Amino acid sequence: MRSGRAETGVPPLPDYKVVEGTGSLLGQFKVTPTILPDVSCRRPFLGRCCAKCLPISRQMYFDNDITEIAGLQDVLKVELDQSFRSRGIIMRPFCHITHVITCDNSHKYHDVTKAVLNSFRVNEAIEKTRDEDKPKRQLEKRAQSLVLTLKAKISKTLVRLTAWVLLKILGRILSSIQVQEGQMAMVKQASQSDSPLLFLPIHRSHLDYILIAFILFNHNIKIPYVAAGDNLNIPFFSSLMKGLGGFFIRRRLDQTPGKKDLIYRAVLHSYMAALLERGAYMEFFIEGGRSRTGKALKPKGGLLSVVVDTYVDGHCPDLQIVPISISYEKILDGNFKREQMGELKIPETFFGAIKAIWRVLTSSYGSVRVDFAQPFSLQEYMESASTSGSTPIRRNSIPNKPTKDHLKRVGSGSSLYGTDIVLEDQRQMVNQLANHIIHTCVQTQPMMSTSLLAFLLLNKHRQGVSMVELVASFDWLKQEVLNHNHDIGFVGETQDVIEYAATLLRDELVSVEIKQKASNTPEYNNNVDNIFLTPTTTLPNVFELAYYSNTVITVFQLESVIACSICAVADLDLFTCQGQSSEECTISRNEVLEKASLLCDYLQYDFTFVSPCQDLQLELSDALEKLVNGSIIEVVENEMTGDRRDQEYAQRLAKSFAQNDSDEEDGGEIDQQYTINLTDGECIEKFKFLQNVLSPFIETYWLVAFSLTKLLHSDKPETEFIKEVHQYAFDRVEKGMAYFAESVSMDCIKNAMKVYQHLKITEVYFNGNRNDTKMIGLQDRYNDRETLQMFIHSIECFRM
C-alpha cells in the first residue's frame, strides 16, 4: 500500500493474484469506494439557453445566485428537516419514509378521456374512416377503447410508495444519483410559472422512464406524463408505469403497411394536446429509442410536432422546454452486442424483466449524473425562428405575433407529424428545434470516468499501456475536456479513478496485468510502474467498450474532422511519414475546409456537429485554428501572412455577427497555406489520436459505399443487402483486413445507408409485386461504375 492512503481515506491500491500456469498476472480488484464528484466544489455551469435563438429565456431563471449553488447534490442522500432530525433515534430509522411523506405531492392530474373523445381530430378521423362503410358506433367504441388503453392513471399513493422503494433499491445498486443544485433551482422556478414543462431527455436505459420523475418528486416538482414504447406494455410493469404517469405508444403507428390508422393517430395527438392544454407536465425521448452506441441519436420530430401543433393551434399559450442529459458510469441494461452483431433484439417479456431486475439487484453500477439544461420558452423559439427553417429572424420584425397564423396547420387534423399536410416551413422548424435540443443535451452531458478510460484505451493506447503512462494521458484528457467547456463526473486521484473505472468495466473489457520478472516479490507486484492495462478490441466485446468511449467523441469531433480532412487533402499516412520534411506536405485551408464539410455531410446521422443556428464553416475554421495553436500544422509565413490572417479574422467576426448571412455577398475568405509538422513526435501522436477518433465510423461508411457496387444495374431487398454488407464487414475483421473491429457495427451500417439515401446516391422503394418488400437500388446518376467509383473514392480518401 502506498503511504498516506489510509490517512486521506483514498482507496488503496487493489490486490492482484497470480494465476498459475500463465505468463501474466491478472488484476483482481477488491470492492473499492466509489469515486464520487465533490459535491462541495463548483462545477462548470452548462446547459444555458442559446444566446442567438433564445436571448430572453437565457436571462430567465438565471442570476449570479444560481452560479453560487453550482455544486452537486446526491438525490439518494436524504436530509430531513431540522424539526425531524431533532427527534433523534425515533425518526432516524424511518428517514426514507418520513422523506417521501413530507414531499409535496398535492398536484392535480387530470382525466382527459372525455376531452379526447369529443375533440375535433378524433371525430374527423371517425368521419373519414366511416367513409369506408364502417359503422360510426363501432368506430366510436374503438376510439374509446384506444383512449382507455393509452391513458395514464397517476396514483399519488403509488408515487409515494415507489419513491420509497426506489430510495431503498437504487441505494443498493447505485453509488449516487447526482444533480446540479443550480440547475434544479432553475427548474423549480420554471415549475412555478403558468406554463407546462416539457422534459426531453436523451435515452440510455429503461431506468430513464422513472429516473426523471423520481428526481422531480424529491424536489417537490409535479411529475410528468411519460411517453413509452408499447414494447414495455407487459403484465404488471405496464400497470406500474401507468400509475406513475406512463402512457404507451405503438412503435409503428399503423398496423397495416401503407394504410394510415387515422383514429389511433388522432387519439394519440388529442390525448397529448389535452394534457398540455390543462397544464400537465410531459416527458418523452426525442431520439425515439435507446442509443445502442452511446452517442446521441438523430432526433425524431413526431411527438415534438404534437407539442408545436398544440401551441400553434392556441390550446397552450406557451411551454417551457427542458433538455436533459443522463450519464451512467455503467449501463444498467446489459449491453447491445447482439444487436450490433446483426442479431434481432430480444422482445421484452415479464420473465425477461424479472431476470433483468434480479441481475441489476445483484450488481453495482456506480453513479448516475442527470443534468437539466436551462428551461426555454417555446413561444420565444417559434417567434425568433424564421419559417424558412434555417434563418433566424429578429423578434421586432414580427408584428403582433403572426407566427401562429403563418404556421397554421392545413389539411387533415387527424394525425402526427409527417402525416398531416403541414407547411414545409413548420416541418423544418420542428426538425431544427429537435436538433437544437439534442445539441444542448450533448453539450450538457458530463464525461464519466468509465467513458474517459474507454476513450483513451481505444483511441490512444489501443495496444495497451502502463499505469504510469495512462495516468499522464488521463490527466491530459481530463484537462482537454474541461478546456472544451465540458464537465467531468468524478474527482479523486487519477490512479484511483482509473482503477475504479476499470473495476466497473470488468475484465471482459479491460484486462489488468503485472509484468512479471524472475524475482516475483510482493514489493515488485505492488509497484505501480509494473501495472499494464489492455483494452478488448475483438468482437463482440469491443462494442461495449466503444459504447462508453463514444460519449467523449463530441469533445473532439470537429478537430477529428479537420485531422481526417488534412490527411485526405495531403494524401498522408501518419504511420509512415514521421521525419519527413514539412515542406513536402503543404495544404490549402480552403481545400481542407471543403473536405471537412463533405465529411460532416457523410456523418450527419451519427453526429450533431453544430446546432441549427451555428455556422458549420465557422466552427470548422475554429477547429482548424486549434490544430494551428497546437503546432500540429503550421502557417506558411510570408510578408502578407499577418495582414491576411487579420483580414480573415475580421471577415469571420463580421460573419458571426451578421443578422442574415444569406443577404450578404460572400467576400471570399483568403486561402491560407499550411505545412504539417512531421518532425515533432508529440505532434504526430496528437495528430494520430485525432484521426483515430472518427476512423472506425469512416471505415464503416467506406465499406458500405464499396458494397454499393453490388447494386449496379441490380436492385436487392434492403434487408438482404444489409446482411451482405454486415457479413462483408465481419469477414474483413476476421481476416485481419480491418484495424477497427467496431466497423462491424450494425447501427453505423444502417446510418450510412440512410445518409446515402438522403444524399440521393441510393433509392429505397416498395416492390410493385409485393408491397411489404422494401427494395434498394442506385439512383440513375450513380448506376454507372465510373461515377460510383468517384463517390467511393470521396469517402476512401478519409481512411487511415
Side-chain angles (χ1 to χ4, degrees):
M1 182 180 295
R2 284 167 286 174
S3 61
R5 294 257 172 176
E7 291 77 3
T8 59
V10 178
L13 182 69
D15 291 343
Y16 300 94
K17 184 170 66 175
V18 179
V19 180
E20 298 292 341
T22 67
S24 64
L25 299 173
L26 300 181
Q28 305 295 320
F29 289 111
K30 290 183 176 180
V31 177
T32 58
T34 308
I35 305 297
L36 294 176
D38 185 357
V39 297
S40 63
C41 77
R42 296 181 60 177
R43 319 296 304 179
F45 200 91
L46 304 178
R48 293 288 306 279
C49 290
C50 175
K52 189 173 185 179
C53 299
L54 302 160
I56 297 177
S57 294
R58 185 175 173 84
Q59 301 307 318
M60 292 181 64
Y61 317 124
F62 184 86
D63 52 38
N64 292 332
D65 293 336
I66 293 292
T67 60
E68 293 300 323
I69 53 173
L72 296 176
Q73 173 196 4
D74 183 2
V75 180
L76 296 177
K77 186 178 180 181
V78 173
E79 294 186 4
L80 296 179
D81 184 80
Q82 182 63 38
S83 60
F84 287 99
R85 291 202 302 267
S86 62
R87 301 180 189 181
I89 60 174
I90 298 178
M91 297 305 301
R92 201 169 298 147
F94 308 104
C95 61
H96 287 166
I97 296 178
T98 305
H99 172 71
V100 298
I101 291 176
T102 55
C103 284
D104 182 14
N105 193 26
S106 60
H107 314 289
K108 292 183 179 180
Y109 302 100
H110 300 276
D111 186 346
V112 296
T113 304
K114 291 183 179 179
V116 173
L117 293 176
N118 294 330
S119 68
F120 170 76
R121 286 181 181 273
V122 172
N123 284 283
E124 183 191 38
I126 290 174
E127 289 297 327
K128 287 193 173 186
T129 309
R130 185 184 179 188
D131 294 339
E132 302 174 5
D133 299 327
K134 293 182 179 179
K136 182 177 180 179
R137 182 60 183 163
Q138 178 183 344
L139 297 176
E140 288 176 342
K141 285 185 177 180
R142 180 171 184 262
Q144 184 177 11
S145 175
L146 287 173
V147 174
L148 295 177
T149 303
L150 173 71
K151 72 173 186 177
K153 304 173 184 177
I154 295 181
S155 166
K156 296 181 180 180
T157 302
L158 181 61
V159 170
R160 289 193 190 276
L161 178 61
T162 303
W164 175 75
V165 172
L166 289 176
L167 281 171
K168 294 294 185 182
I169 293 179
L170 295 182
R172 293 179 61 88
I173 64 175
L174 297 175
S175 304
S176 65
I177 299 176
Q178 302 285 344
V179 295
Q180 198 172 95
E181 292 180 312
Q183 293 174 352
M184 295 310 302
M186 291 193 298
V187 176
K188 183 69 174 178
Q189 290 183 50
S191 70
Q192 295 168 357
S193 68
D194 295 331
S195 302
L197 267 59
L198 176 63
F199 299 98
L200 298 177
I202 55 177
H203 198 9
R204 296 294 175 267
S205 167
H206 286 318
L207 182 61
D208 299 345
Y209 289 104
I210 57 176
L211 186 60
I212 303 301
F214 175 68
I215 293 172
L216 295 177
F217 174 82
N218 280 275
H219 285 83
N220 300 316
I221 300 173
K222 180 166 58 177
I223 67 171
Y225 289 85
V226 185
D230 62 357
N231 59 307
L232 296 178
N233 194 2
I234 53 181
F236 175 73
F237 296 101
S238 59
S239 300
L240 175 63
M241 289 187 65
K242 282 192 172 187
L244 298 175
F247 60 97
F248 296 98
I249 300 176
R250 291 179 188 168
R251 307 291 282 195
R252 292 185 178 180
L253 297 182
D254 305 313
Q255 293 179 326
T256 304
K259 185 178 181 180
K260 297 174 185 175
D261 190 340
L262 298 181
I263 295 180
Y264 178 79
R265 290 171 179 267
V267 165
L268 174 57
H269 195 298
S270 300
Y271 177 73
M272 293 178 62
L275 288 175
L276 293 172
E277 186 177 359
R278 287 158 179 77
Y281 294 0
M282 191 167 291
E283 172 192 344
F284 56 82
F285 301 102
I286 200 169
E287 301 166 289
R290 291 171 295 162
S291 171
R292 266 63 176 165
T293 61
K295 301 183 287 81
L297 305 178
K298 197 169 183 66
K300 294 178 170 59
L303 296 183
L304 187 60
S305 71
V306 177
V307 176
V308 173
D309 275 348
T310 304
Y311 165 77
V312 170
D313 290 343
H315 297 304
C316 187
D318 195 12
L319 294 100
Q320 299 290 322
I321 298 178
V322 187
I324 302 174
S325 70
I326 306 176
S327 306
Y328 293 88
E329 278 190 326
K330 182 178 180 180
I331 51 177
L332 276 73
D333 299 2
N335 55 67
F336 302 102
K337 294 183 291 189
R338 284 175 47 89
E339 295 170 57
Q340 295 291 52
M341 288 296 292
E343 299 179 36
L344 294 177
K345 176 179 178 290
I346 300 176
E348 285 82 0
T349 62
F350 174 78
F351 292 106
I354 294 296
K355 183 179 178 181
I357 291 173
W358 177 255
R359 173 181 53 81
V360 168
L361 291 177
T362 55
S363 304
S364 177
Y365 292 89
S367 293
V368 179
R369 171 85 174 266
V370 182
D371 284 77
F372 293 75
Q374 186 177 12
F376 69 87
S377 164
L378 175 62
Q379 179 184 23
E380 183 186 8
Y381 184 88
M382 298 289 285
E383 291 182 355
S384 66
S386 165
T387 55
S388 66
S390 59
T391 307
I393 55 178
R394 295 178 287 277
R395 288 174 59 86
N396 58 14
S397 68
I398 309 177
N400 301 321
K401 298 201 310 185
T403 309
K404 294 188 179 182
D405 293 333
H406 188 71
L407 294 176
K408 185 177 180 182
R409 176 175 37 80
V410 296
S412 169
S414 62
S415 51
L416 297 175
Y417 171 67
T419 60
D420 280 69
I421 305 172
V422 296
L423 291 175
E424 183 61 25
D425 289 340
Q426 183 170 338
R427 183 193 301 271
Q428 291 182 8
M429 183 174 291
V430 171
N431 285 335
Q432 290 205 352
L433 175 59
N435 282 303
H436 214 305
I437 292 167
I438 283 291
H439 184 265
T440 300
C441 290
V442 171
Q443 295 303 311
T444 307
Q445 190 172 15
M447 304 299 145
M448 309 304 280
S449 60
T450 47
S451 296
L452 291 191
L453 178 59
F455 183 76
L456 276 175
L457 292 176
L458 286 181
N459 294 285
K460 195 174 176 65
H461 303 296
R462 201 174 179 91
Q463 305 303 320
V465 61
S466 68
M467 178 64 81
V468 173
E469 187 178 354
L470 184 58
V471 166
S473 295
F474 202 91
D475 286 336
W476 166 82
L477 180 58
K478 184 169 65 174
Q479 191 59 50
E480 284 290 310
V481 169
L482 295 173
N483 291 343
H484 283 75
N485 200 31
H486 285 266
D487 196 7
I488 54 175
F490 57 90
V491 294
E493 291 188 23
T494 302
Q495 184 180 333
D496 296 317
V497 173
I498 292 173
E499 293 167 356
Y500 167 72
T503 305
L504 286 176
L505 292 177
R506 311 183 320 277
D507 289 340
E508 292 87 348
L509 303 183
V510 179
S511 65
V512 183
E513 300 177 343
I514 294 179
K515 294 180 180 178
Q516 192 172 14
K517 288 186 177 179
S519 57
N520 185 24
T521 64
E523 291 77 12
Y524 179 86
N525 289 339
N526 284 330
N527 189 339
V528 66
D529 295 340
N530 308 314
I531 303 175
F532 199 81
L533 288 83
T534 306
T536 297
T537 57
T538 56
L539 295 173
N541 287 342
V542 68
F543 289 131
E544 188 175 353
L545 196 60
Y547 181 99
Y548 295 99
S549 171
N550 288 342
T551 307
V552 190
I553 290 180
T554 184
V555 178
F556 300 97
Q557 59 188 11
L558 287 177
E559 291 168 69
S560 181
V561 165
I562 294 296
C564 293
S565 301
I566 289 173
C567 290
V569 170
D571 193 18
L572 184 66
D573 183 353
L574 291 174
F575 291 90
T576 60
C577 68
Q578 187 168 351
Q580 294 181 14
S581 171
S582 297
E583 286 72 16
E584 298 178 19
C585 292
T586 302
I587 54 174
S588 159
R589 178 182 185 277
N590 287 349
E591 289 183 5
V592 170
L593 292 180
E594 183 179 352
K595 285 286 188 184
S597 296
L598 179 63
L599 183 54
C600 289
D601 281 343
Y602 287 147
L603 299 178
Q604 61 181 284
Y605 277 78
D606 269 295
F607 301 99
T608 303
F609 292 105
V610 293
S611 68
C613 63
Q614 289 179 308
D615 188 309
L616 178 60
Q617 286 297 312
L618 287 177
E619 299 301 319
L620 289 172
S621 296
D622 288 343
L624 181 62
E625 287 300 315
K626 289 179 181 178
L627 268 66
V628 174
N629 295 335
S631 300
I632 293 175
I633 58 176
E634 299 171 339
V635 176
V636 175
E637 300 287 349
N638 56 53
E639 57 186 16
M640 296 296 294
T641 297
D643 293 337
R644 285 182 176 179
R645 298 196 72 184
D646 290 342
Q647 185 177 351
E648 176 187 319
Y649 176 77
Q651 289 176 350
R652 290 169 55 200
L653 187 64
K655 188 175 180 181
S656 66
F657 283 102
Q659 295 293 334
N660 192 337
D661 296 338
S662 61
D663 294 337
E664 298 181 358
E665 294 184 2
D666 186 5
E669 293 186 350
I670 300 172
D671 197 9
Q672 176 66 60
Q673 301 296 309
Y674 300 97
T675 58
I676 304 173
N677 187 348
L678 300 177
T679 57
D680 189 324
E682 185 176 339
C683 289
I684 290 291
E685 289 304 311
K686 177 68 179 296
F687 204 161
K688 289 179 182 177
F689 162 76
L690 290 176
Q691 188 185 25
N692 277 342
V693 171
L694 291 179
S695 287
F697 301 91
I698 294 172
E699 184 74 9
T700 305
Y701 277 70
W702 167 79
L703 67 88
V704 173
F706 183 79
S707 299
L708 294 180
T709 54
K710 299 178 181 180
L711 299 178
L712 281 168
H713 311 294
S714 176
D715 296 357
K716 292 188 175 186
E718 186 181 38
T719 54
E720 178 185 323
F721 179 70
I722 291 175
K723 289 180 181 178
E724 289 182 7
V725 174
H726 190 265
Q727 187 60 49
Y728 172 59
F730 181 79
D731 290 343
R732 294 184 74 252
V733 171
E734 288 293 295
K735 295 175 182 178
M737 299 170 62
Y739 184 68
F740 299 101
E742 307 95 292
S743 61
V744 182
S745 167
M746 180 60 80
D747 262 44
C748 196
I749 289 173
K750 290 180 177 179
N751 283 341
M753 294 183 65
K754 290 177 185 176
V755 167
Y756 298 156
Q757 182 184 353
H758 175 73
L759 298 177
K760 301 190 183 307
I761 309 298
T762 62
E763 59 180 349
V764 176
Y765 60 94
F766 284 99
N767 192 319
N769 298 324
R770 295 182 58 191
N771 289 330
D772 59 342
T773 301
K774 190 182 289 188
M775 305 292 291
I776 184 171
L778 294 170
Q779 293 274 4
D780 291 342
R781 179 186 173 189
Y782 292 93
N783 217 345
D784 170 76
R785 184 170 296 276
E786 183 177 350
T787 305
L788 184 59
Q789 286 294 342
M790 291 176 61
F791 163 68
I792 295 171
H793 176 72
S794 71
I795 302 173
E796 187 175 17
C797 65
F798 295 106
R799 294 177 65 208
M800 288 182 56

